[in-house]
Amino acid sequence: MNQLMKNVIERLSKRKNHEMANFAKYKSEELHESMLISSGKIMEIDYLIRELKELNIKLSKSKNYKS
């Protein structure tokens, strides 16, 4: 995997962990609106990570095909 993509995925993973901690805090404080916002952020981060991994696979296949 390209180092730049690895770095972006790592940063997104850290952001997801941070948001999951926020979610737990909101849950304990019963802040339902904040929980909904936080869960949406987590879902979007998961989606971005998955898309980056798929893009990397496609790029690797394309690179191998051209070689």
Side-chain angles (χ1 to χ4, degrees):
M1 186 181 296
N2 170 329
Q3 189 60 38
L4 181 59
M5 276 194 188
K6 283 183 181 179
N7 290 342
V8 171
I9 290 171
E10 184 179 321
R11 288 184 8 230
L12 285 169
S13 295
K14 286 180 183 178
R15 177 67 183 144
K16 178 184 169 188
N17 290 336
H18 176 74
E19 203 56 52
M20 289 174 73
N22 286 344
F23 181 86
K25 181 180 77 169
Y26 300 147
K27 187 174 181 180
S28 69
E29 296 174 6
E30 297 184 12
L31 299 171
H32 298 290
E33 288 180 17
S34 296
M35 285 172 52
L36 288 172
I37 293 169
S38 187
S39 66
K41 288 179 182 180
I42 292 167
M43 290 172 59
E44 188 63 24
I45 292 169
D46 277 339
Y47 171 79
L48 291 171
I49 290 171
R50 188 172 46 253
E51 288 293 309
L52 283 170
K53 287 180 178 179
E54 288 177 17
L55 176 62
N56 189 58
I57 290 169
K58 289 178 184 177
L59 289 174
S60 294
K61 287 181 180 179
S62 174
K63 190 184 239 184
N64 288 338
Y65 179 73
K66 290 178 183 178
S67 300

